Amino acid sequence: DAGITQSPRHKVTETGTPVTLRCHQTENHRYMYWYRQDPGHGLRLIHYSYGVKDTDKGEVSDGYSVSRSKTEDFLLTLESATSSQTSVYFCAISESVGSSPLHFGNGTRLTVT
Amino acid sequence: GENVEQHPSTLSVQEGDSAVIKCTYSDSASNYFPWYKQELGKRPQLIIDIRSNVGEKKDQRIAVTLNKTAKHFSLHITETQPEDSAVYFCAASRGAQKLVFGQGTRLTINP
């Protein structure tokens, strides 16, 4: 299994508070991704990174920001959490974009009350 | 951009029977088509993938077929077992574009 660690695994937070989720990989893959998974919507891309300090938006990026200061770490921040951001968040990595498979972390279940 | 539609959203089959899940894609230039399996409470995991230069690929009881003309690809699971119960996702991409996922199919294997 790919070495991907997400933390925390579960978090409950209140509306309006900032939240940061962390993804750490030991595979030295260039590409890292954040997805959210909600019933009926499958996996939707929030942001991705194609290298240190190189990031771009996905299809559902509003309300989220990311940072990648090291190859192995990709952080997802909810600046001011809302109830609509209650979801399961998956980090993924890949060796290249588009033509190689994604390897997913175990997910973070976030509840915003 | 690419759009992937997956059908059916739920599928229930008797143990031992076959299951087929179909995905259609919109971008004729898409050339990479992976399938992921997600068991309850777990992460999605790649089970098989196919590239556009291949029409079919098999791995034991699972197979994927690709019809580039019709722009659809399908996952076939034969001799289904209880451990095949999961949500299955298809995805498509082309070149350096990011993967686009289908909505998922919840497969239930009835004993």
Side-chain angles (χ1 to χ4, degrees):
Chain A
D1 288 348
I4 309 168
T5 304
Q6 289 187 233
S7 59
R9 293 296 313 278
H10 303 272
K11 186 169 182 67
V12 179
T13 192
E14 294 184 348
T15 298
T17 59
V19 177
T20 295
L21 309 183
R22 180 177 183 247
C23 178
H24 178 79
Q25 60 142 331
T26 59
E27 305 298 316
N28 201 35
H29 283 355
R30 178 180 175 186
Y31 297 90
M32 298 185 75
Y33 312 79
W34 278 107
Y35 286 87
R36 62 177 290 174
Q37 184 174 37
D38 306 287
H41 291 279
L43 292 155
R44 293 183 292 174
L45 182 64
I46 305 171
H47 280 281
Y48 67 102
S49 170
Y50 45 95
V52 174
K53 299 191 188 308
D54 291 324
T55 64
D56 207 348
K57 297 179 179 180
E59 60 183 305
V60 289
S61 60
D62 287 349
Y64 302 95
S65 63
V66 290
S67 66
R68 192 168 178 200
S69 59
K70 297 186 290 184
T71 298
E72 57 266 36
D73 291 326
F74 193 31
L75 304 181
L76 176 70
T77 297
L78 290 65
E79 303 289 349
S80 177
T82 67
S83 59
S84 64
Q85 294 175 312
T86 292
S87 186
V88 178
Y89 292 85
F90 285 100
C91 173
I93 64 174
S94 68
E95 292 184 81
S96 63
V97 65
S99 58
S100 68
L102 297 178
H103 301 281
F104 288 88
N106 288 320
T108 294
R109 182 173 295 276
L110 176 67
T111 303
V112 184
T113 61
Chain B
E2 176 67 279
N3 182 52
V4 177
E5 297 202 355
Q6 184 172 346
H7 299 281
S9 56
T10 61
L11 180 60
S12 182
V13 302
Q14 289 298 120
E15 182 177 352
D17 289 349
S18 296
V20 181
I21 303 169
K22 181 177 176 178
C23 290
T24 60
Y25 59 98
S26 60
D27 187 345
S28 58
S30 286
N31 58 3
Y32 178 62
F33 308 93
W35 285 90
Y36 289 83
K37 175 184 180 181
Q38 185 178 27
E39 297 177 358
L40 188 63
K42 300 292 183 63
R43 60 192 170 99
Q45 290 192 283
L46 178 75
I47 54 172
I48 195 168
D49 58 6
I50 192 170
R51 300 182 192 276
S52 60
N53 59 344
V54 175
E56 182 176 4
K57 185 177 179 180
K58 291 184 179 180
D59 183 2
Q60 298 181 17
R61 295 186 298 107
I62 62 173
V64 57
T65 58
L66 172 64
N67 184 327
K68 290 187 290 183
T69 301
K71 292 190 287 186
H72 67 71
F73 57 110
S74 299
L75 178 71
H76 305 254
I77 307 174
T78 59
E79 301 173 10
T80 53
Q81 301 170 4
E83 53 264 37
D84 295 329
S85 292
V87 177
Y88 292 81
F89 292 97
C90 64
S93 69
R94 67 175 175 92
Q97 299 300 312
K98 299 171 295 300
L99 279 173
V100 176
F101 285 87
Q103 308 289 51
T105 296
R106 182 174 300 279
L107 175 63
T108 302
I109 308 301
N110 300 310

